[in-house]
Amino acid sequence: MDQHNIEIVPISVEDLRVDTSGTLVNQIANLAYLAFREPPWNDDLEKPRLHFGLGVDLMRRNALAFAAKLIPSDKIVGYDLGYEVFRESQDPRDLTLYEISGTSALDHLFEGGGRVFYEDTICVAPGFRKRHIAYNLSTAQITFLRTEGFTYRIGRTSISCVAMKTLYTKLGYQVLNVHDALYPERTYWLLDV
């Protein structure tokens, strides 16, 4: 399929609620299920856990997701999901960068009132990779973050994940000398929004 047959659209928790057939959440969970089973992740996540996690992440404060949808079929072939993170918060919906990374090395991002958006998951169906879908999903999200006054967009990836590191570089991210405490093979990448 030609890239012009792919539309980037926002997804909200309300979209999941009104989809009584469960088609939307199933398509997104299937993408994550396939992606996380691939190297370097090799995670054996179950689809019900992915369904639940998607709903939880979309209910986080300032969550933002975009889907790449084939036109006219409405089949989801990619998605990008993230949310605002905080230095500290009492709101149970929120995550701190410390909770995600296991280190306070990133807390300086909040100095001066900086707002930080964490890109949690980006997936593209295997048959649709190398068509700039991940790039278009990311730029849609970045454009929105700029209008909302975010300071930074941060993500993490495995040091062996060439595709993600290439995408981050193309988007203008800088690799940080910060490794995840739980997964030391993962590093953090930062974009000034």
Side-chain angles (χ1 to χ4, degrees):
M1 275 236 152
D2 185 62
Q3 182 178 342
H4 297 292
N5 294 328
I6 297 173
E7 180 182 19
I8 306 299
V9 297
I11 303 172
S12 69
V13 73
E14 186 58 31
D15 293 327
L16 298 181
R17 282 191 193 113
V18 300
D19 179 25
T20 57
S21 69
T23 302
L24 180 60
V25 73
N26 279 328
Q27 288 184 60
I28 293 170
N30 285 337
L31 285 172
Y33 180 77
L34 291 172
F36 291 135
R37 288 179 171 273
E38 296 175 344
W41 317 117
N42 301 314
D43 286 337
D44 192 16
L45 300 173
E46 296 176 359
K47 289 181 187 176
R49 181 174 168 211
L50 292 168
H51 283 177
F52 178 75
L54 177 64
V56 168
D57 286 343
L58 279 172
M59 288 189 286
R60 295 197 188 283
R61 197 163 12 150
N62 296 314
L64 184 58
F66 285 91
K69 190 185 285 192
L70 285 182
I71 303 300
S73 72
D74 284 343
K75 177 181 177 183
I76 304 294
V77 296
Y79 79 96
D80 191 359
L81 169 67
Y83 39 82
E84 187 168 6
V85 290
F86 302 88
R87 177 180 282 177
E88 54 188 40
S89 175
Q90 298 303 313
D91 189 323
R93 297 173 299 164
D94 296 340
L95 285 177
T96 65
L97 269 180
Y98 180 84
E99 289 171 309
I100 293 169
S101 67
T103 177
S104 58
L106 299 167
D107 283 354
H108 69 279
L109 299 175
F110 299 102
E111 292 173 7
R115 291 182 68 197
V116 180
F117 187 87
Y118 177 69
E119 179 189 44
D120 186 273
T121 308
I122 186 165
C123 297
V124 176
F128 291 87
R129 294 181 184 157
K130 298 188 185 274
R131 297 181 185 207
H132 307 287
I133 294 171
Y135 181 83
N136 291 336
L137 287 164
S138 294
T139 56
Q141 195 177 71
I142 292 165
T143 298
F144 185 84
L145 295 176
R146 286 183 176 131
T147 66
E148 294 298 306
F150 278 87
T151 313
Y152 303 108
R153 184 178 190 242
I154 193 165
R156 70 177 170 178
T157 195
S158 171
I159 57 176
S160 65
C161 190
V162 174
M164 198 63 206
K165 293 186 328 183
T166 300
L167 175 64
Y168 280 153
T169 300
K170 188 175 180 181
L171 290 166
Y173 278 77
Q174 299 297 315
V175 65
L176 302 175
N177 190 22
V178 176
H179 289 260
D180 196 273
L182 298 175
Y183 305 98
E185 72 283 359
R186 296 180 189 176
T187 57
Y188 285 84
W189 291 69
L190 185 68
L191 177 70
D192 290 351
V193 181

